[in-house]
Amino acid sequence: MAKTTDWLPGSRTDVLAMCANWISYLSKVRQTAWGIPEAEFTELDSFCSTATSLLQKARDEAERTHVITVECQEAFKVLSAKMRFFRDRYFKIPPLSEGDWVALGFRQKDPHPSPVPAPDGVPVVTLSYPGGPHAITVHLGAMMGTQDLAAESDYGYAIYAGIMPPGGATLEQAASDKHYLMKIPMDGKGLQHYRFTRRGKEKFIFDAEDAGKTVYVCCRYENRKGEAGQWGPVVSLVIP
């Protein structure tokens, strides 16, 4: 059996093309048959439109600013999460046919898939300042003496992050869109999923309003099927 890779395209242009194809393919008949609420479909369409607009601005030297760059990153993070949600929640065979599956941009399913081991490693995270406003670099790797990024089991890193104001968030701050932390997290359970990666480092860029707050980061391995392993240690750094 040939090895598979993460189904979500690597480039932003390809992500938008896949999402646009989904929106075009999801007729009213298919939405009803596959159990997709109209509100969910509308939100997917809105996220795709927002990401498309911001990518155009980010690529236009006359319009590109630091704010646009950050907003574009956030838009694609939100869109990718929504697309993963759709695939996991609504794109099941049945009610989809194999033809539907391929039409949505996925590879034809292997009728005799090889088992994928559960993640058994524990990743380690360190943080540093790369330079530039409100930026932090997340460095990812394996605990000393263990193998990093196995082909099937410890396939990639799922990064989780949360921001805590000095002294902890108020109830109002915790209920906001950013879900600010009220207390120091002991593991990744209280943190929001940030991104999945197979790279050894990722750059986080935060909003100017978060300077001086502390970001907490935790990571765990995921296998090729998206199953998660144990949490690694929680690390933190003050946002510059």
Side-chain angles (χ1 to χ4, degrees), residues 97-221:
S97 67
E98 286 285 352
D100 291 325
W101 185 258
V102 174
L104 289 167
F106 304 123
R107 294 182 181 180
Q108 191 165 7
K109 291 200 169 184
D110 187 342
H112 305 292
S114 301
V116 177
D120 59 1
V122 179
V124 173
V125 180
T126 56
L127 307 178
S128 68
Y129 295 121
H134 325 308
I136 286 175
T137 297
V138 179
H139 304 268
L140 304 147
M143 282 192 170
M144 186 176 297
T146 64
Q147 182 181 356
D148 192 31
L149 292 191
E152 297 290 343
S153 55
D154 301 341
Y155 177 68
Y157 308 101
I159 308 172
Y160 292 74
I163 299 171
M164 190 172 79
T170 63
L171 288 173
E172 183 178 3
Q173 288 175 317
S176 70
D177 291 342
K178 291 190 175 182
H179 303 289
Y180 288 114
L181 302 173
M182 299 181 71
K183 60 181 180 179
I184 297 173
M186 297 296 102
D187 55 30
K189 292 178 183 176
L191 305 177
Q192 300 293 309
H193 181 260
Y194 192 83
R195 70 179 61 154
F196 174 88
T197 184
R198 300 196 78 233
R199 291 156 46 95
K201 65 179 181 180
E202 291 286 336
K203 187 176 181 179
F204 287 19
I205 300 177
F206 300 92
D207 294 337
E209 67 182 8
D210 292 326
K213 299 181 178 72
T214 301
V215 60
Y216 291 88
V217 179
C218 190
C219 182
R220 58 186 178 183
Y221 286 119

Side-chain angles (χ1 to χ4, degrees), residues 54-138:
L54 286 169
L55 182 60
Q56 291 172 346
K57 291 180 180 179
R59 288 177 171 175
D60 186 337
E61 291 187 6
E63 291 194 75
R64 184 173 62 238
T65 63
H66 175 68
V67 172
I68 291 295
T69 300
V70 172
E71 288 180 346
C72 186
Q73 290 176 340
E74 181 65 22
F76 274 89
K77 183 176 72 171
V78 170
L79 177 61
S80 297
K82 193 67 175 181
M83 291 175 69
R84 291 185 186 280
F85 172 81
F86 258 69
R87 185 182 187 274
D88 293 343
R89 178 67 63 87
Y90 303 122
F91 297 164
K92 304 292 185 182
I93 299 179
L96 279 71
S97 67
E98 286 285 352
D100 291 325
W101 185 258
V102 174
L104 289 167
F106 304 123
R107 294 182 181 180
Q108 191 165 7
K109 291 200 169 184
D110 187 342
H112 305 292
S114 301
V116 177
D120 59 1
V122 179
V124 173
V125 180
T126 56
L127 307 178
S128 68
Y129 295 121
H134 325 308
I136 286 175
T137 297
V138 179

